[in-house]
Amino acid sequence: SDLTNRLVEISMKLVKLFGIALIAIGLSSPAMAQQSGGQPDQVDQLAQMVGLSEDQQKEIRGIIEEMQAEIQELQGEAQQLQQQIQAQIKPDYDEDAIREKAEELGDVTGEMTAMSTLMQAKVDAVFTEEQREELNKRMQQMQQQMQQQRQMQRQQQKGMQ
């Protein structure tokens, strides 16, 4: 949805490189909590990427579980508000209602950004300096790969026109 895309955009701008790592490996996604059956989850992937100890992994999982429910609840609230705002797109719209819901939506998205940033900061605090550097290095590589892929897509689109 547009709202989710906007929130991701806002989050990406506000969080440090490390935050991009969390988003890139999906730590803040609901699927995180549902993964089982021996599949490596995002914390496992992070552990492999930067060499986390068992204790670090446990601590990170705890932080995510603690904040996940609250973030999901806010996401639900934001979607409801978005729907209420869109329901006002009609000839007899109510400007006051639109502005009121838009302001509430701003508060909710602000709180979501704060929660998501806090979660990332708490996880970041678990890392050693070496792990942080390794993660930054990996994230820069991922960003470069993403930029290269976007450039290739643009070139392919130009070729098709």
Side-chain angles (χ1 to χ4, degrees):
S1 77
D2 286 351
L3 173 67
T4 310
N5 292 342
R6 274 211 319 273
L7 288 174
V8 168
E9 223 172 90
I10 292 165
S11 295
M12 292 295 258
K13 285 177 187 164
L14 289 179
V15 298
K16 307 181 295 186
L17 204 50
F18 170 70
I20 298 167
L22 279 184
I23 293 165
I25 58 178
L27 275 185
S28 50
S29 76
M32 154 89 204
Q34 295 156 1
Q35 263 184 329
S36 60
Q39 272 187 312
D41 68 9
Q42 288 86 348
V43 178
D44 291 332
Q45 290 169 13
L46 196 56
Q48 286 166 3
M49 213 186 274
V50 298
L52 298 174
S53 71
E54 285 294 319
D55 286 347
Q56 284 177 311
Q57 289 178 56
K58 224 178 273 176
E59 197 173 338
I60 289 171
R61 285 180 205 282
I63 292 165
I64 293 163
E65 281 166 25
E66 174 195 326
M67 302 188 84
Q68 191 62 48
E70 212 168 326
I71 291 171
Q72 283 174 338
E73 201 177 297
L74 289 167
Q75 283 172 332
E77 254 178 79
Q79 281 173 335
Q80 283 179 338
L81 287 165
Q82 184 75 24
Q83 286 164 357
Q84 290 167 2
I85 291 168
Q86 285 177 337
Q88 285 294 332
I89 302 172
K90 56 188 181 182
D92 61 335
Y93 65 91
D94 177 347
E95 185 175 347
D96 290 339
I98 293 170
R99 291 187 181 283
E100 186 184 316
K101 294 296 175 196
E103 196 173 321
E104 280 180 53
L105 182 60
D107 292 344
V108 171
T109 54
E111 184 58 23
M112 280 171 66
T113 303
M115 291 295 296
S116 152
T117 307
L118 282 167
M119 180 172 76
Q120 292 160 15
K122 287 180 179 187
V123 170
D124 186 67
V126 175
F127 293 141
T128 63
E129 199 51 50
E130 291 79 22
Q131 289 169 332
R132 227 173 262 124
E133 284 168 19
E134 177 62 24
L135 188 59
N136 285 340
K137 201 168 71 184
R138 296 281 188 112
M139 293 328 305
Q140 284 169 338
Q141 288 169 352
M142 280 168 87
Q143 280 184 313
Q144 284 168 348
Q145 286 170 349
M146 284 162 65
Q147 284 172 336
Q148 286 167 350
Q149 285 170 348
R150 280 197 295 266
Q151 285 170 342
M152 281 168 57
Q153 285 170 345
R154 279 193 212 108
Q155 285 167 349
Q156 285 171 347
Q157 285 168 350
K158 278 181 191 165
M160 292 161 88
Q161 288 172 350

